[in-house]
């Protein structure tokens, strides 16, 4: 008899255990809206500088424009990425990755696996890398990136970023056609199941309604401006502080760049909401992305200085 | 003679880059060994590649470079041997050349007598040379995008280098690339063979040793296997008798470079999805999933697909993989169906206002603005065509098509499959019964996408394509976005190539001036665009049609406005240019042009109108005057009939007359009046025959 496939939460446990056993810190999801696991400071900021770092975390990623009111079986406004940063990557990083697939119950001798070129880029974050989409029987299950630059800075050492699409993998393992049918958890005593739909469908519906219909464009722009201004004020102060050669090292170390980064992330999410509302023309888009980029890159530069001070 | 093998083991190389890199590796290694005199004419270079390796084998390699003697030249003899005794300069030179002073000799050169030393250069062994030089060659391979991976190390490559095999016969060559030392251990297929190393005994064993480890490193063999298996598996599709896989060379290439041990399996999808347009189905299968589409005997899409696996599995594995691939495809089709249905809720006409929020170009405006401009341009073109009356077309349908051409940019399906813009709009127009003419014009508006793509099949489609592109080009030039050098971020060259191709291959009686002046723009921008289109016309004639550059120059120097006419003239000129008389007459025309040019440089006045016949004194010049006049009239008639070959042949008959003229007549006569008359004569001969082609551009001999 074929083994019972992992539930959604078991899938996450297995990945976390696998990578924890290989020296990764397990972090909790970052509690600010992000569009991708990369944008969490656990990746965006920690990849900067020379310090080795290994971390794994499941990150809910919100993309308002991808919402489908819960009606499309394959698309979500919010999906969950298991994000992994290996800095620097071990030489056998690909083999480790394949072992992690075995750990979640994929017998590779029974499947077709390909690493197909897929380079990754987040222009607003000045971040990019080269890599692959890992295709399992024609399904993209992971984005595997050798991160080369972040915040416009060259990474030395560079790192490997593995992003597992948890919903996709779970639907594949459980062989269900709709994300909402994924078994999230199973009661070990009764065998009763709770599905992904039970847990998340109302959220998909209500946030689609909010993102597409109710979010007030004027207010969103206003929030954007407020957060941007606050972030910019912090960056200006950081700029002045880090330029001062005789500044107190402690003052530098305690400067709240992490707060500035959160404000930049809020701007990024507001921009995505405005986009979902159809409120950003293509002309404006370039300009707004440049504004977010100025914040993100500004934080990254200051953060790099803060690390060496 | 020795046999050499280098294998560079990598993490998966992007499929699109492998073929180029494999060829470059072979070329670099071959050139290095030839340059270093290790490889002669009898040598043989063979290359291999898979997604995880690039390899090159060289047979017939010398084990060492031959020793050579080199003659070094030192200071002048007098300086080195003042008074016949060796001085400090001689001693220093001997030391540098590593010979005894007594071995120095005297040589005599054009500059005088010098000291010389003959030194023996010991040839390096092949192993030394390869270890020293090969890494540089490998790291110089060009990659469209590369990366760095070792902290603090400068090397860039497409992906991290993970292992190296370097063998000279059965001995490991001690070379190192990016921190990896060469050995004799390769690797097999990730899954089918696993992690245990694959020992390579000697270069000749390489392909076979890898085959035992489930890697087919010979690209041609892999391609052959894939094609054969595609055929074979297609025959197993019993549900669709006579099924065929849809030939797709680019896709075959891609899967060849995505696999080390390819096998093929087929899968199926629910027939209900066949209600989606074929274009959408094929795009999903080919571009997004790398599947081959399957068609029935009538060429209609069948509900199956073929996928090339990078593994070999038993029946149970095959069932699992098929099931997985079918799941993915079904969900992609379901997505497409969802978008298709969502899109249908808004009629194309009602999407026009949505275009207000889609920007065409920041400095210019939205696609609503662009559409209004396209309509204006199309109206001008339509009016001109009606006045010409050469072709018939449906003006109302044309204008509706132009009006609706861009609205599919607001469709979900186009956002998902950007490569299908235009196509989707056309399909929606058809689904919404906007008329076949309108639908077809919208559908084909972006054709030709490249120089080997066909033009739209209808006049309306051709006009839409012209209006849209001409407006784009003029508007972009107007705001300073013309292409420069290799930079063409708005693909304006491609747009202009398409304009030229449509004008050349359609029946539209339109010249470049016609299409340019149909757009509003500053005079400067229009002139700039004219030169740009002429340059594209020249490219088209040379690179697409393959006419010789001098033929193209000759034709375009005469007239570069009527594209179809230019093509015909280039064709005719190509037919006749080889004949001896024609080459002679071309040379004569060139001579005339030079004489005129030199004369005007010297300040001579060349009368533009009329030859003063009474001033001509020699029979040869009088004869040139009369014969050329007669022939010019004949040529004009032939031109009128479009008989350019005939016209060129007539022109060639002028040769004896011209030859006689140049034999006997000195144009630059000392008498000013006679000189002027003669210059006027040759000017009129040139003018009379240069309307079809400027023969002075023809390169003779």
């Amino acid at each position: 008899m074929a083994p019972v496939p992992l539930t959604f939460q078991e899938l996450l446990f297995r990945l976390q255990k696998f990578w924890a056993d290989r020296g990764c810190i397990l972090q909790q999801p970052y509690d600010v809206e992000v569009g991708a696991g990369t944008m969490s400071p656990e990746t965006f900021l920690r990849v900067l500088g020379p310090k080795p770092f290994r971390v794994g975390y499941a990150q809910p990623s919100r993309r308002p424009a991808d919402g489908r009111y819960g009606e499309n079986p394959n698309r979500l406004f919010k999906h969950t990425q298991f994000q992994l940063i290996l800095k620097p990557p071990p030489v056998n990083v690909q083999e480790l990755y394949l072992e992690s697939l075995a750990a979640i119950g994929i017998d590779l001798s029974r499947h077709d696996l390909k690493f197909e070129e897929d380079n990754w880029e987040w222009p607003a974050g000045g971040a990019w890398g080269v890599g692959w989409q890992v295709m399992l029987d024609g399904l993209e299950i992971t984005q595997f990136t050798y991160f080369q630059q972040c915040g416009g800075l060259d990474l030395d050492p560079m790192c490997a970023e593995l992003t597992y699409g948890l919903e996709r993998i779970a639907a594949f393992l459980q062989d269900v056609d709709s994300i909402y049918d994924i078994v999230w958890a199973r009661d070990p005593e009764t065998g009763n199941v709770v599905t992904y739909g039970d847990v998340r469908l109302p959220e998909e519906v209500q946030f689609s309604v909010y993102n597409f219909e109710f979010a007030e464009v004027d207010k969103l722009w206003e929030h954007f401006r407020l957060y941007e201004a606050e972030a910019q004020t912090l960056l200006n102060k950081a700029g002045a502080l880090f330029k001062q050669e005789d500044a107190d090292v402690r003052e530098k170390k305690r400067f709240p760049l992490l707060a500035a980064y959160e404000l930049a992330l809020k701007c990024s999410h507001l921009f995505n909401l405005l986009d979902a509302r159809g409120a950003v023309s293509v002309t404006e888009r370039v300009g707004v992305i440049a504004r977010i980029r100025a914040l993100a890159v500004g934080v990254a530069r200051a953060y790099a200085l803060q690390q060496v001070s | 003679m020795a046999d050499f093998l280098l294998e560079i083991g990598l993490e998966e190389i992007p499929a699109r880059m492998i073929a180029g890199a494999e060829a470059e590796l072979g070329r670099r290694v071959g050139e290095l060994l030839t340059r270093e005199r290790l490889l002669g004419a009898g040598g043989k270079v063979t290359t291999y590649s898979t997604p995880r390796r690039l390899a090159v084998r060289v047979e017939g390699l010398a084990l060492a470079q031959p020793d050579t003697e080199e003659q070094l030249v030192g200071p002048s003899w007098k300086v080195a041997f003042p008074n016949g005794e060796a001085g400090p300069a001689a001693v220093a030179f001997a030391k540098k050349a590593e010979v005894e002073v007594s071995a120095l000799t005297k040589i005599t050169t054009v500059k005088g007598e010098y000291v010389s030393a003959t030194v023996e250069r010991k040839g390096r062994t092949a192993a030394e040379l390869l270890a020293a030089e090969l890494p540089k060659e490998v790291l110089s391979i060009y990659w469209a995008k590369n990366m760095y991976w070792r902290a603090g190390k400068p090397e860039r490559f497409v992906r991290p280098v993970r292992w190296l095999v370097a063998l000279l016969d059965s001995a490991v060559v001690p070379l190192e690339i990016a921190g990896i030392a060469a050995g004799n251990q390769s690797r097999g297929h990730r899954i089918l063979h696993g992690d245990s190393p694959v020992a390579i005994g000697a270069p000749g064993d390489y392909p076979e040793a890898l085959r035992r480890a489930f890697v087919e490193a010979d690209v041609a063999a892999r391609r052959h296997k894939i094609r054969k298996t595609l055929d074979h598996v297609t025959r197993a599709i019993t549900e669709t008798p006579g099924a065929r896989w849809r030939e797709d060379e680019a896709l075959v290439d891609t899967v060849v470079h995505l696999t080390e041990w390819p096998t093929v399996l087929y899968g199926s999808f629910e027939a209900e999805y066949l209600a989606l347009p074929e274009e959408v189905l094929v795009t999903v299968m080919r571009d997004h999933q790398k599947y081959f589409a399957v068609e029935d005997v009538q060429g209609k899409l069948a509900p199956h697909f073929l996928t090339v696996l990078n593994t070999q599995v038993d029946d149970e594995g095959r069932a699992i993989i098929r099931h997985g691939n079918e799941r993915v495809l079904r969900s992609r089709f379901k997505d497409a169906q969802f978008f298709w249905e969502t899109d249908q809720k808004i009629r194309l006409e009602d999407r026009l206002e949505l275009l207000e929020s889609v920007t065409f170009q920041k400095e210019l405006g939205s696609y609503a603005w662009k559409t209004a401009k396209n309509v204006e341009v199309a109206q001008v073109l339509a009016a001109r065509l009606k006045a010409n009356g050469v072709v018939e077309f449906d003006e109302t349908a044309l204008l509706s098509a132009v009006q609706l051409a861009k609205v599919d940019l607001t469709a979900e399906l186009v956002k998902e499959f950007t490569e299908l813009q235009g196509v989707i709009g056309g399909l929606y127009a058809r689904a919404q019964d906007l008329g076949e003419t309108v639908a077809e014009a919208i559908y084909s508006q972006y054709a030709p996408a490249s120089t080997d793509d066909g033009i739209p099949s209808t006049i309306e489609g051709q006009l839409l394509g012209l209006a849209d592109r001409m407006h784009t080009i003029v508007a972009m030039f107007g705001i300073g976005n013309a292409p420069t050098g290799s930079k063409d971020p708005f693909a304006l060259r491609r747009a202009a190539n398409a304009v030229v191709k449509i004008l050349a291959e359609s029946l539209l009686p339109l010249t470049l001036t016609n299409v340019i002046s149909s757009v509003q723009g500053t005079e400067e921008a229009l002139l700039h665009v004219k030169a740009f289109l002429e340059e594209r016309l020249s490219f088209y004639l040379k690179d697409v049609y393959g006419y010789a550059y001098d033929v193209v120059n000759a034709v375009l120097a005469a007239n570069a406005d009527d594209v179809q006419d230019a093509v015909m003239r280039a064709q005719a000129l190509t037919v006749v240019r080889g004949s001896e008389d024609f080459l002679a007459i071309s040379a004569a025309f060139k001579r005339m042009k030079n004489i005129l040019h030199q004369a005007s440089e010297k300040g001579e006045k060349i009368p533009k109108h009329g030859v003063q016949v009474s001033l001509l004194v020699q029979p040869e010049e009088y004869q040139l005057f009369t014969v050329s006049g007669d022939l010019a009239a004949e040529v004009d008639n032939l031109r009128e009939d479009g008989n350019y070959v005939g016209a060129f042949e007539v022109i060639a008959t002028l040769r004896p007359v011209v030859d006689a003229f140049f034999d006997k007549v000195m144009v630059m006569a000392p008498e000013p009046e006679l000189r002027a008359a003669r210059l006027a004569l040759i000017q009129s001969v040139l003018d009379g025959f240069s309307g079809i082609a400027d023969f002075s551009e023809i390169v003779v001999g």
Side-chain angles (χ1 to χ4, degrees):
Chain A
M1 212 183 84
V4 180
L6 302 181
T7 63
F8 189 69
Q9 63 190 32
E10 283 167 343
L11 168 62
L12 180 55
F13 295 158
R14 290 277 184 97
L15 285 173
Q16 287 179 327
K17 176 87 171 72
F18 179 88
W19 287 107
D21 288 347
R22 279 148 193 86
C24 290
I25 296 162
L26 292 183
Q27 255 288 11
Q28 301 307 313
Y30 193 58
D31 51 357
V32 167
E33 304 94 328
V34 293
T38 307
M39 297 161 76
S40 160
E42 290 301 319
T43 293
F44 187 82
L45 296 176
R46 298 271 197 177
V47 297
L48 301 169
K51 214 171 156 186
F53 186 61
R54 287 187 175 194
V55 70
Y57 54 93
Q59 181 65 49
S61 301
R62 291 169 172 82
R63 297 175 185 176
D66 282 358
R68 293 289 182 266
Y69 294 90
E71 289 167 19
N72 184 309
N74 309 303
R75 275 188 203 230
L76 299 164
F77 117 83
K78 187 170 104 180
H79 67 285
T80 319
Q81 298 178 336
F82 182 68
Q83 164 89 358
L84 201 72
I85 289 293
L86 301 169
K87 171 193 172 186
V91 290
N92 62 339
V93 54
Q94 279 188 308
E95 285 73 24
L96 283 178
Y97 167 72
L98 297 185
E99 283 176 37
S100 77
L101 297 184
I104 56 173
I106 296 170
D107 172 4
L108 287 172
S109 72
R110 294 285 171 87
H111 291 281
D112 178 44
L113 184 98
K114 298 191 187 93
F115 287 82
E116 297 182 8
E117 180 193 16
D118 192 14
N119 303 320
W120 176 87
E121 184 179 29
W122 179 34
W128 66 274
V130 306
W132 309 277
Q133 45 178 350
V134 183
M135 305 295 285
L136 186 73
D137 298 348
L139 176 74
E140 181 191 351
I141 55 168
T142 307
Q143 172 72 39
F144 190 135
T145 307
Y146 286 120
F147 224 152
Q148 301 276 292
Q149 251 199 1
C150 188
L153 302 168
D154 286 338
L155 302 185
D156 192 12
M158 63 79 166
C159 62
E161 178 197 52
L162 272 63
T163 305
Y164 298 77
L166 291 185
E167 286 86 356
R168 281 182 181 201
I169 297 175
F172 173 85
L173 291 175
Q174 299 179 13
D175 191 24
V176 293
D177 287 332
S178 167
I179 289 171
Y180 297 104
D181 295 336
I182 292 170
V183 175
W184 186 296
R186 182 180 289 107
D187 187 312
E189 293 195 355
T190 63
N192 289 344
V193 300
V194 177
T195 66
Y196 195 94
D198 294 335
V199 179
R200 291 216 48 252
L201 183 60
E203 197 183 341
E204 281 297 319
V205 176
Q206 293 192 17
F207 273 97
S208 290
V209 172
Y210 175 72
N211 298 341
F212 290 126
E213 300 170 24
F214 281 74
E216 284 185 42
V217 172
D218 293 347
K219 291 275 162 46
L220 296 174
W221 280 123
E222 200 178 328
H223 290 150
F224 185 97
R225 277 189 293 271
L226 288 171
Y227 285 128
E228 182 191 31
E230 194 176 346
Q232 199 55 62
T233 304
L234 285 173
L235 284 178
N236 293 344
K237 288 185 175 161
L241 179 64
F242 287 105
K243 224 182 292 167
Q244 252 177 279
E245 288 193 7
D246 55 350
D248 183 4
V249 174
R250 229 180 15 188
E251 280 297 299
K252 290 186 182 174
K253 286 284 185 205
R254 67 192 294 274
F255 190 87
L257 283 172
L258 296 174
Y261 186 62
E262 263 195 27
L263 293 164
L265 287 180
K266 286 176 190 289
C267 288
S268 173
H269 181 63
L270 286 162
F271 166 70
N272 291 339
L273 273 175
L274 283 160
D275 201 24
R277 292 289 279 123
V280 189
S281 73
V282 181
T283 320
E284 284 173 307
R285 166 178 297 274
V286 181
V288 182
I289 290 176
R291 284 159 72 183
I292 298 169
R293 186 185 157 93
L295 300 180
V297 169
V299 173
R301 298 237 161 97
Y303 183 86
L305 290 174
Q306 193 174 42
Q307 296 313 295
V308 295
S309 67
Chain B
M1 286 292 134
D3 198 351
F4 172 69
L5 171 76
L6 174 73
E7 182 194 52
I8 307 147
L10 298 160
E11 297 181 5
E12 280 77 354
I13 311 166
R16 66 189 166 106
M17 302 177 191
I18 297 178
E22 180 188 336
E24 187 179 339
L25 175 67
R27 183 169 54 71
R28 282 185 178 276
V29 172
E31 283 173 5
L32 168 71
L33 297 176
T34 309
R35 190 165 68 232
E36 296 292 343
R37 290 167 294 123
L38 284 168
L39 190 65
K44 184 177 163 202
V45 178
T46 315
T47 58
Y48 303 90
S49 72
T50 77
R52 295 177 74 205
R53 66 201 84 221
L54 295 174
V56 57
R57 179 185 175 200
V58 184
E59 292 164 83
L61 186 70
L63 272 167
Q65 292 174 317
D67 296 343
T68 51
E69 279 190 350
E70 194 176 346
Q71 194 165 48
L72 300 180
V73 180
S76 82
W77 185 259
K78 266 192 213 146
V79 172
F81 290 88
N83 323 315
E85 295 292 320
V91 174
F93 174 65
K95 193 175 169 199
K96 201 175 122 206
E98 296 177 345
V99 295
E100 298 293 321
V101 174
S102 58
L104 296 179
T105 55
K106 188 195 287 183
I107 57 160
T108 306
T109 74
V110 282
K111 286 191 276 176
E113 295 178 330
Y114 286 84
V115 177
S116 166
T118 304
V119 288
E120 292 247 317
R121 287 246 177 268
K122 198 94 182 92
R124 283 195 285 179
T125 66
E128 278 168 2
L129 185 124
L130 288 165
E133 306 296 333
L134 210 48
K136 282 178 262 177
E137 294 293 333
V138 170
L139 290 172
S140 304
I141 289 175
Y142 167 80
W143 300 102
K145 192 165 189 102
N146 55 28
M147 62 174 285
Y148 64 96
W149 65 99
R150 291 200 298 158
K153 300 292 183 191
E155 72 270 345
R156 298 273 191 282
F157 214 58
V158 64
R159 289 291 183 275
V161 176
R162 290 304 185 208
W163 76 88
L164 283 176
V165 175
L167 288 175
L168 197 55
D169 292 329
S170 56
V172 171
V173 180
L175 58 82
E176 186 188 304
I177 297 175
I180 303 287
N184 64 353
Q185 314 240 302
S186 180
R187 300 201 196 165
H189 188 278
R190 268 193 200 289
I191 312 292
L192 296 174
H193 180 80
D195 291 339
S196 56
V198 177
I200 309 294
D205 303 341
Y206 177 71
E208 203 40 54
L210 284 186
R211 257 172 228 131
R212 286 195 295 274
F214 301 96
V215 173
E216 176 52 71
D218 180 332
V219 175
R222 232 162 47 234
R223 181 177 284 110
H224 178 72
K225 183 181 172 192
I226 287 173
R227 284 192 166 278
K228 220 178 63 181
T229 322
L230 283 169
D231 289 339
H232 181 76
V233 172
T234 310
R235 280 198 291 277
I237 306 178
T238 48
E239 303 94 310
T240 304
R244 287 179 305 217
W245 60 279
R246 193 167 282 190
E247 174 62 54
D248 188 334
E249 206 179 314
L251 186 58
V252 170
D253 246 9
T254 302
V255 296
V256 162
H257 295 301
L258 275 177
T259 52
E260 296 204 305
W261 194 254
T263 60
V264 176
L265 70 79
Y266 85 90
S268 304
F269 54 87
E270 290 73 13
E272 63 176 274
Y273 292 117
L274 291 174
L276 280 170
E278 189 175 303
E279 293 84 348
V280 173
L281 297 172
V282 172
T283 301
V284 171
M285 288 192 275
R286 182 189 55 213
D287 297 359
H288 296 246
Q289 292 299 130
K290 302 187 173 70
Y291 297 160
F292 290 87
V294 174
E295 54 187 32
D296 64 18
V297 264
Q298 276 92 38
K300 257 189 51 152
L301 224 52
H304 311 291
F305 63 92
L306 295 156
T307 173
V308 177
L309 311 180
N310 182 33
T311 191
Q312 178 179 303
V313 288
D314 58 16
D315 285 349
E316 200 184 322
R318 208 161 20 245
I320 293 171
I321 297 174
R322 173 182 295 130
H323 182 72
N325 279 281
E326 287 176 345
R327 262 188 86 248
V328 178
L329 189 63
R330 193 182 304 123
S331 89
R332 288 223 179 237
F333 282 168
K334 216 180 267 181
D335 254 8
Q337 198 175 36
F338 178 83
F339 291 139
W340 172 270
E341 281 161 13
T342 308
D343 285 344
Q344 297 298 327
K345 290 180 192 158
I346 308 179
R347 289 188 59 83
L348 286 184
E349 300 93 308
D350 298 333
R351 289 182 178 274
L352 266 169
E353 60 180 308
L354 299 178
L355 284 184
E356 296 281 358
S357 62
V358 185
T359 301
F360 163 63
Q361 180 64 29
K362 199 163 57 175
E363 303 87 335
L364 295 169
S366 69
Y367 266 100
W369 171 85
K370 165 76 172 152
T371 297
K373 292 292 170 189
N374 282 356
V375 169
E376 284 174 20
V377 179
Q379 279 167 334
V380 176
L381 290 175
R384 176 174 295 280
L385 282 189
K386 277 197 297 189
N388 285 353
V390 178
V391 291
E392 283 186 16
F393 65 101
D394 180 343
E395 190 180 0
T396 314
L398 167 66
L399 295 178
S400 312
V402 179
Q403 190 79 31
L404 298 176
K406 305 299 173 188
V407 297
D408 73 351
L409 293 173
T410 68
E412 296 297 325
L413 208 51
V414 170
K415 291 181 194 161
E416 188 76 2
F417 304 111
T418 47
E419 59 268 62
L420 287 179
Q421 57 181 278
V423 168
I424 298 290
L427 294 171
Y428 285 170
R430 195 168 289 147
Q432 295 171 12
D433 290 327
L434 295 179
E436 184 52 31
T437 313
V438 174
E440 181 58 30
I442 296 174
Y443 184 93
S444 62
Q445 62 177 304
Y446 294 106
S450 66
T451 47
D452 38 69
D453 193 14
I455 66 167
S457 60
T458 64
I459 302 275
E460 292 81 2
Q462 293 157 7
L463 289 172
L464 164 55
L466 286 177
D468 179 31
R469 291 184 181 95
M470 284 314 303
H471 172 262
T472 299
I473 293 169
V474 174
M476 288 297 205
F477 272 60
I479 56 167
N481 282 345
T484 50
S486 63
K487 290 208 183 78
D488 183 14
F490 303 98
L492 298 182
R493 288 202 183 96
R494 193 168 69 186
N497 288 345
V499 166
V500 168
K501 189 164 168 121
I502 291 173
L503 290 178
E505 297 181 16
S506 70
L507 299 171
L508 296 173
L510 294 172
T511 62
L512 293 183
T513 305
N514 291 157
V515 293
I516 293 165
S517 59
S518 64
V519 190
Q520 302 268 324
T522 63
E523 202 162 313
E524 198 198 336
L526 294 181
L527 272 176
H528 198 163
V529 169
K530 180 93 200 292
F532 176 60
L533 283 183
E534 284 177 6
E535 183 222 332
R536 292 292 92 199
L537 171 57
S538 167
F539 163 83
Y540 181 76
L541 292 171
K542 286 175 199 162
D543 292 72
V544 181
Y545 270 144
Y547 292 121
Y549 76 94
D550 59 339
V551 165
V552 173
N553 292 348
V555 163
L556 296 188
N559 181 341
D561 202 29
D562 185 329
V563 174
Q564 288 164 34
D565 190 56
V567 174
M568 287 197 297
R569 287 182 286 128
Q571 169 61 27
L573 191 50
T574 304
V575 170
V576 301
R577 74 162 292 180
S579 86
E580 198 187 324
D581 283 348
F582 190 80
L583 286 177
I585 201 81
S586 295
F589 280 136
K590 190 175 205 106
R591 192 168 169 188
M592 291 182 203
K593 203 172 176 182
N594 286 339
I595 292 170
L596 289 167
H597 180 70
Q598 281 161 11
S600 76
E601 293 264 285
K602 281 188 203 149
E604 293 280 343
K605 287 254 180 303
I606 300 156
K608 287 284 175 207
H609 302 293
V611 182
Q612 280 214 277
V613 189
S614 58
L615 291 175
L616 301 175
V617 290
Q618 285 179 230
E620 290 80 9
E621 53 189 331
Y622 186 73
Q623 202 189 6
L624 178 60
F625 173 73
T626 53
V627 175
S628 68
D630 293 347
L631 292 186
E634 208 177 320
V635 165
D636 279 346
N637 285 335
L638 291 163
R639 265 176 75 177
E640 294 271 298
D641 299 341
N643 183 357
Y644 290 125
V645 173
F648 288 136
E649 281 167 351
V650 168
I651 293 169
T653 63
L654 192 60
R655 177 188 180 178
V657 185
V658 172
D659 285 352
F661 174 83
F662 277 121
D663 272 357
K664 295 280 158 52
V665 180
M666 190 176 70
V667 179
M668 299 307 278
E671 308 85 340
E673 281 200 329
L674 179 57
R675 202 159 67 222
R678 286 177 176 166
L679 286 170
L681 170 61
I682 59 176
Q683 180 73 58
S684 85
V685 171
L686 269 184
D687 291 348
F689 298 107
S690 297
I692 320 179
D694 178 349
F695 305 105
S696 63
E697 294 282 351
I698 297 293
V699 176
V700 180

